[in-house]
Amino acid sequence: MSVPAPAWVVAGPPGAGKSTVADLLLAALVPTPALLDKDTMYSSFVAAVLASAGRPHGEREGPWYDEHVKVHEYAGMAATAREIRAHGCPVLLSGPFTGQIHDRQEWRSWVAELGGGTVRLVWVRSDEATLLRRLTARGLGRDAAKLAEFERFCASMRVGAEPAAPHLTVDNRLTAAVPLGEQVAFLVKNL
């Protein structure tokens, strides 16, 4: 197949609601894309790497993590997406992808790694109050470091900063005026 199937990238900080947006998109898109969720694909592997390196279980951000773990997570997701798309199946990737979405050149490079063609970025808008509430409520060990240094975490995630990459926005802040399901339905209808 010379033209890869479309790809969707659902991006935003942890706790923004990426999984919910991904589920709504999967229910609305025809044909249904294959879902590649970063946490589903790599959570247990990341826990094992952190343990073997003597790193804190909740370390999911920062220079060491980016260099030794995240680079491999994202490369694996891109290679898997490229392979699936080459066989005609659309793909939906879900993860923060902070570096890729906030730098136009990195985005272009990553689109190429994903196999080129149609790659749509759906950015899940959030804010600090929403993230704090959701991360606290879900009570996951992997969020402990984020909550312990919440301001630094929000700064590293560029919370509230629009992506530099071309994107569609879904507002999932607690103060959002339109329900999430309606926003996603409108987005899909107007493509």
Side-chain angles (χ1 to χ4, degrees):
M1 170 167 248
S2 59
V3 177
W8 293 79
V9 175
V10 177
K18 295 181 300 295
S19 295
T20 303
V21 171
D23 287 346
L24 290 166
L25 281 168
L26 291 168
L29 295 170
V30 178
T32 305
L35 174 62
L36 301 178
D37 180 279
K38 183 179 91 67
D39 291 334
T40 302
M41 293 175 71
Y42 292 108
S43 186
S44 63
F45 177 76
V46 168
V49 169
L50 292 172
S52 69
R55 307 297 293 194
H57 174 74
E59 183 177 358
R60 296 297 195 276
E61 298 298 330
W64 187 91
Y65 186 86
D66 292 353
E67 179 182 345
H68 297 284
V69 180
K70 188 182 288 184
V71 65
H72 301 293
E73 289 176 308
Y74 288 179
M77 291 180 79
T80 303
R82 183 174 58 249
E83 186 172 0
I84 292 169
R85 294 175 69 214
H87 292 284
C89 180
V91 173
L92 188 151
L93 298 97
S94 179
F97 308 121
T98 307
Q100 289 81 358
I101 69 172
H102 288 288
D103 181 293
R104 282 187 181 270
Q105 184 54 45
E106 277 201 50
W107 176 254
R108 285 192 288 271
S109 295
W110 203 53
V111 166
E113 287 179 48
L114 292 170
T118 301
V119 178
R120 292 183 178 100
L121 169 60
V122 177
W123 177 56
V124 183
R125 174 180 282 142
S126 194
D127 57 24
E128 291 184 13
T130 301
L131 293 178
L132 182 59
R133 177 185 266 179
R134 290 190 178 137
L135 291 174
T136 302
R138 73 185 188 182
L140 298 176
R142 68 178 188 238
D143 294 332
K146 297 173 186 81
L147 291 168
E149 296 189 43
F150 189 69
E151 287 183 21
R152 191 169 71 132
F153 161 71
C154 288
S156 72
M157 290 288 105
R158 303 179 198 179
V159 174
E162 289 274 336
H167 63 282
L168 305 163
T169 300
V170 175
D171 187 355
N172 199 24
R173 296 174 293 180
L174 295 171
T175 59
V178 178
L180 197 56
E182 288 180 29
Q183 292 181 62
V184 172
F186 180 81
L187 182 147
V188 171
K189 180 182 174 186
N190 289 290
L191 284 176

